[in-house]
Structures are given as structure tokens and as C-alpha cells.
Amino acid sequence: MGGRYIFPPSCLDELFTDRDEEMEKLYRFGEEAALWRTPSVALIGLRRLGKTELFKRVHARLFFEQDAVAPVFFSFQGASPHSAPLAEEYLQEFLRQYLSFTSGKDLEVLGLGLNALLDLAERQGPPFSDRIVPQFRNARLDYDEGWMLAVAFEAPRTVADTLERPIVMFLDEFERVLEVRNRDGTDPSALGKYQVAVESLRCPHIITGSAMTLVLRDVVGSGPLYGRLMVEYIRGLHPVYGAELARRLAAFYGVGISEAMAGHLAERTDGNPFYITAVVRQAATLGVSLDGPEELNQALATDLIKGAIFSEWWQQVMHFVMGENQYGVRNELVEFLAQYGVGEQISERDMELFGDKVGLGSVEVHGLFAALARADLVEEGPLGVAYSAVRDPILNEFLRVWVRVKRQSRGQLLREKYNEYQKRARRMDEYVGYVAERWVELLMTKWRGEVV
């Protein structure tokens, strides 16, 4: 990697494409925290769009390129789901990064454990010595899990407000806060403990999560944080940049790719960098060059049926259908969803008929679809009473594959999917025309009113 990172991104710098606008916006949020202008923000987008990559890169820039605002990154992905150990992990990560940044960016501090960090912080004086450290130690001694969480979550704001030294918190996979439980299974209201933390302009919190509907509805759309976070959206790469990513990946993996197929891959995947990467890698594995629709269809169909795309969505769908789904409806549910095209409305009548078929009443059906929305397997309308199929073309395809993979061999399904794609393939000049149109669109967007 070319840059310096506290948390190295998973994408190589030479493959990181576009996102300049999002990077600059997030960096500006961090910088303007020094002027007390930045509110707390929720960055909303579908799964696998690169939100974590953005956080890690912006965090690194803020850490190494300026001195006014202390940046802190914490991911709830992989963190403990239990209150007490989560509080310890959270406070430890905050103290590590804050004390490192304010000690002349001493990277050795990043390797200290919690007890050493508490001692170091205590020597800094108030508010560490009179509030944060003694309160946390007392809460830990009493094993008061709720108190530990409250002290940890509010520590950044406490420091920023008391010392009038701004801090910006980047919190990844934030929706997992809703899953936190005490050791005895009781709910510590972890989300509620952020109510105070996010309100300071000296300590804005920028959150993101991979469960788009869950974040929109249960984190920022209701409950204790309602109205306290500004919402920003992140979408797939613009087709021109999606095509650029495809070309960079192809060069990296030694795969030939034509200009037309790079643009078509970006279109087929709706600019999702995970899908684009998976298809190019699959082409490298198959030893094919993506020079025409036949080869692209082969790589996409193979990955959808037995590659990285299949593995990603198999885990997500199985997690819901076999785990979180409390309604006892499994295969019938996916078969029902697989009937709908991208973004197609699921009518109330269709939901009623589905309920009749599987033996669920109206209330249960709506509860099931609300749960599906939280798992991002359907999209929920603004009032939570209407639903539609997801606007993710690859997930939409996967649901059809999921239904058939239970009944057919992978080899037979792969041949059928490849033939299906071939029948739908358009003429080559249409692919070329699509790329040209997107270039013109991008030029008009970026240089509106100027001569290019």
C-alpha cells in the first residue's frame, strides 16, 4: 500500500477507484469538526459498496495529514456482543487512537492494553482523572455493565467538550449495537446510550452499516437517535468508474478485457465493486479473457453459482432463512421472492396469498416482511407498509439460483444459466454505445457549464 494506515484497507491503492467525492466529503466532515460545523452523520448504502474502505482511508488521512481533529475508528464487526467486554474494547480503542494522536502521533501507544491506557490517561488530568477513568474502574469493579457502556460510549464527547479539542468518531457496522446484550440476556439499551454521545458538535459521530433498512428504520428513523443524525447515501460506482475498476482489476489479474465489456460489467453489476471484482477474479480462475459477451456471461454465471458472489449471498440468505426467521417459512419464502424483478412492487394481495399458502395470518406476514427488510432481502416503503424486490440485480439473480440449486446439480444449473444469459445478450454495438453515453453523462455532470 502506498499510504500510511492505522487500519489497512482490504483494497490495494492501485485498485481503489473513484469515490473521490465521497472521500472528500467525509474528510471535510472531519476537518470542519475543528470549526464545530459537523453534525453526526449516517452513511447509508447497500452491502459491499466499500463503506468500510472509505472509513479506513479517511481516518488515515485525518490521522496523518492534520493536527486539529483527533480521528477514531471502531468497527462493531467482530466486537463482543456482550456489554462489559464491548465497553472495554470500545474504550480501549478510543484511548489508543486519541492518546497516540495527541502524543505527537506516537504509534507505540496503539499497542497498549486497556489497563496501561487507563493509567496513561489518568496522568493526563481531567476529564480522564476525575471522571472517565475512576468511573470506568468503579463500574468494572461492580460489574455494572450498563454503566461501563455509558462511560465508554460517552468518553469521546466528554473529552472533546471538556478540553474543547474536537474528535471525530467513525463507527462501522453500527447496526450491531442493536444486538448487544448483557451477560444475563437483558437489553442494556446500548443504542440509547449514544443519545448523549452523538449530540456534540465537538465530537460528531459518523456511522455506517451493511444492513441499510435496519439503519434507516431502527437506528436513525426511530428510537433514541431519531433526528440526531444527518443521512448521506452511497451508491454503486458510476458506470465509467465501474468500467475503470474492471480494467484495473483485469490488468492486475492478467485478464484481457475489452472496453465494451468493462462498461457492460459495470452496468450488469450496478457499479458494485464487490461484484465487479468477483467476476474478474472468476475470469482469471477460468483462464478466459473478457473480450465479448460470451466470456463475460461465463464468468458471471460461474461466480453466481459457485464463486464469491454465491458464497456471500448464500451466507446472508441462509442466516435469515434458517436463523433469524422465526416464522417457520423457509424454501417457500425464497421461491416467492425469486418471482419478482429488480425493484418490482410486491402487492398486498400477493402477500395475502403467500400467507394463505404457508399458513400465516396478516399480522405474521407483515412481521415476516418487516424482518426481510431489516435483512435487506426486500425493500421497505417509506411508511413501512409496502414492499418491493431489492434494487440489486445480482442479489435478484441469486434468489433465482437459490431456488434452483436445491433441485439441480451445480453443473446443470451453470449450463442453464449460461444459456439463459446468452439468449439475453445484446448486440456488441449496443455495449459500445452504452459506454459512450455514460462518458458523455459523466462529462456533463462534472463540468456542467464549462467547455471540455
Side-chain angles (χ1 to χ4, degrees):
M1 295 239 177
R4 291 191 294 172
Y5 298 102
I6 304 299
F7 302 94
S10 58
C11 179
L12 298 173
D13 288 345
E14 54 265 38
L15 298 180
F16 188 71
T17 308
D18 192 25
R19 298 305 189 202
D20 291 342
E21 184 177 340
E22 291 89 347
M23 286 274 290
E24 289 307 314
K25 181 178 288 187
L26 288 174
Y27 186 78
R28 190 168 63 251
F29 281 152
E31 276 194 318
E32 292 188 348
L35 304 173
W36 307 345
R37 292 176 180 170
T38 301
S40 289
V41 178
L43 184 65
I44 306 296
L46 293 172
R47 298 177 189 273
R48 292 293 201 162
L49 287 180
K51 300 181 289 296
T52 303
E53 292 287 303
L54 283 172
F55 269 21
K56 290 178 177 179
R57 290 171 185 276
V58 172
H59 172 268
R61 282 187 60 191
L62 288 167
F63 194 95
F64 291 112
E65 296 179 14
Q66 56 86 52
D67 301 307
V69 180
V72 177
F73 172 84
F74 182 81
S75 178
F76 285 93
Q77 177 73 39
S80 174
H82 297 112
S83 299
L86 172 61
E88 292 178 334
E89 293 170 31
Y90 193 90
L91 185 61
Q92 175 177 276
E93 205 55 69
F94 165 63
L95 292 176
R96 277 177 174 171
Q97 296 176 55
Y98 179 81
L99 295 175
S100 172
F101 185 84
T102 56
S103 300
K105 303 179 183 177
D106 181 359
L107 301 186
E108 291 187 5
V109 176
L110 297 173
L112 297 179
L114 180 57
N115 289 330
L117 289 164
L118 290 171
D119 292 340
L120 178 60
E122 195 169 31
R123 294 195 291 271
Q124 306 292 313
F128 295 105
S129 60
D130 62 342
R131 296 172 64 182
I132 295 171
V133 175
Q135 285 188 29
F136 191 80
R137 282 176 171 158
N138 288 336
R140 188 162 60 167
L141 186 64
D142 294 342
Y143 206 74
D144 187 331
E145 296 178 85
W147 190 10
M148 290 173 68
L149 269 185
V151 173
F153 288 174
E154 293 179 19
R157 176 182 179 165
T158 301
V159 173
D161 284 352
T162 304
L163 302 181
E164 296 189 359
R165 181 162 191 172
I167 298 168
V168 59
M169 301 291 295
F170 293 95
L171 305 179
D172 191 40
E173 300 291 344
F174 187 76
E175 78 277 6
R176 292 179 180 267
V177 168
L178 298 168
E179 303 171 8
V180 176
R181 293 294 179 269
N182 294 327
R183 286 292 188 183
D184 61 4
T186 56
D187 186 351
S189 185
L191 185 65
K193 289 177 173 53
Y194 269 103
Q195 189 171 31
V196 173
V198 304
E199 289 184 326
S200 171
L201 289 176
R202 292 190 180 95
C203 186
H205 289 56
I206 302 177
I207 72 167
T208 190
S210 59
M212 180 174 172
T213 305
L214 186 59
V215 174
L216 272 173
R217 188 175 72 174
D218 293 355
V219 174
V220 303
S222 63
L225 300 190
Y226 177 71
R228 287 176 168 80
L229 291 96
M230 183 176 75
V231 175
E232 291 280 340
Y233 290 92
I234 181 171
R235 295 175 173 82
L237 299 173
H238 185 281
V240 169
Y241 291 119
E244 180 183 344
L245 174 61
R247 290 192 297 272
R248 290 189 188 187
L249 286 163
F252 183 79
Y253 288 107
V255 174
I257 190 169
S258 68
E259 186 77 19
M261 288 304 101
H264 187 49
L265 177 56
E267 178 198 16
R268 291 276 290 274
T269 58
D270 205 24
N272 186 305
F274 169 70
Y275 296 149
I276 294 172
T277 302
V279 173
V280 176
R281 281 177 176 168
Q282 187 62 246
T285 300
L286 295 171
V288 300
S289 292
L290 301 175
D291 295 325
E294 294 82 4
E295 294 83 1
L296 178 59
N297 286 336
Q298 181 186 1
L300 178 55
T302 303
D303 210 79
L304 186 64
I305 288 167
K306 58 179 183 179
I309 294 173
F310 180 88
S311 297
E312 171 72 13
W313 281 115
W314 177 263
Q315 292 177 26
Q316 295 291 342
V317 173
M318 286 296 289
H319 177 67
F320 177 82
V321 172
M322 304 304 291
E324 294 184 2
N325 173 12
Q326 303 299 314
Y327 298 89
V329 182
R330 293 186 173 28
N331 292 343
E332 304 95 333
L333 177 60
V334 182
E335 289 175 3
F336 175 78
L337 297 177
Q339 301 175 73
Y340 293 87
V342 176
E344 186 178 347
Q345 191 77 25
I346 301 173
S347 70
E348 186 75 22
R349 178 60 178 159
D350 286 348
M351 290 170 61
E352 290 177 4
L353 291 173
F354 173 72
D356 292 340
K357 179 180 178 181
V358 297
L360 296 179
S362 177
V363 173
E364 291 175 308
V365 168
H366 279 278
L368 174 59
F369 273 81
L372 279 168
R374 288 195 296 273
D376 284 339
L377 296 178
V378 297
E379 293 187 12
E380 187 178 67
L383 299 178
V385 295
Y387 300 93
S388 60
V390 290
R391 289 175 173 78
D392 180 332
I394 303 300
L395 172 55
N396 198 267
E397 284 283 318
F398 171 79
L399 292 174
R400 294 180 174 84
V401 167
W402 196 95
V403 171
R404 293 162 62 184
V405 80
K406 296 272 188 181
R407 304 167 181 167
Q408 299 172 259
S409 69
R410 295 287 182 93
Q412 181 184 5
L413 181 56
L414 179 58
R415 288 190 295 273
E416 289 183 5
K417 180 58 69 174
Y418 175 68
N419 290 334
E420 176 188 327
Y421 282 165
Q422 291 300 89
K423 290 176 182 177
R424 288 160 46 186
R426 300 176 299 181
R427 297 190 312 274
M428 181 64 72
D429 59 346
E430 289 182 333
Y431 300 137
V432 177
Y434 174 83
V435 176
E437 288 172 7
R438 298 291 78 77
W439 267 111
V440 172
E441 173 189 274
L442 183 65
L443 289 172
M444 293 176 68
T445 300
K446 287 189 174 293
W447 292 287
R448 189 170 290 132
E450 300 179 21
V451 176
V452 178

